[in-house]
Amino acid sequence: MSKQSTPILTLTRRLSGTVAQYRFVTPAGAQAGADVNTIGAARVAGVSGDDAPVDVLGTTVIESGAAIAEGATLKSDATGRGITWVTSGARLAVALQAAAGAGEFIEVLLIPNAA
């Protein structure tokens, strides 16, 4: 899929663990786990101690963790990938593109979130 994005705000975060590119990132600078609040998505991969750009507002690219319909509200899976929000967890983004399965890269609209 597309790897286009239009971030409005990108912040530099000091990573507190290994973070893969295009995964959700927590306010503490860690790769997100299942259902958690995030500040955005990593533009690059990095390890603990690295300063990395994290898109926090606007559109960004996320790696899918499962099939996703265009327009679906997303949350994080256990490895920081985007999956469809159903009944629980923080709502993180809206899919602007569909994904046929895990491992695809789609453009999403980041939304302010809370669990």
Side-chain angles (χ1 to χ4, degrees):
M1 298 301 302
S2 171
K3 285 193 180 175
Q4 69 181 17
S5 65
T6 307
I8 295 170
L9 177 62
T10 301
L11 300 176
T12 300
R13 299 299 298 177
R14 171 109 351 121
L15 300 181
S16 61
T18 300
V19 175
Q21 185 178 28
Y22 305 130
R23 303 284 177 103
F24 288 115
V25 177
T26 70
Q31 185 165 290
D35 299 334
V36 301
N37 290 327
T38 68
I39 61 163
R43 293 190 68 132
V44 299
V47 297
S48 184
D50 287 352
D51 288 330
V54 176
D55 292 337
V56 298
L57 187 61
T59 71
T60 192
V61 175
I62 285 293
E63 182 177 349
S64 64
I68 296 171
E70 183 176 347
T73 301
L74 304 181
K75 68 177 186 173
S76 177
D77 72 4
T79 61
R81 298 179 301 176
I83 58 172
T84 302
W85 182 93
V86 179
T87 58
S88 66
R91 297 172 186 172
L92 308 177
V94 174
L96 299 178
Q97 299 173 309
E104 294 192 17
F105 301 96
I106 61 170
E107 186 177 12
V108 301
L109 175 64
L110 294 167
I111 57 176
N113 61 92

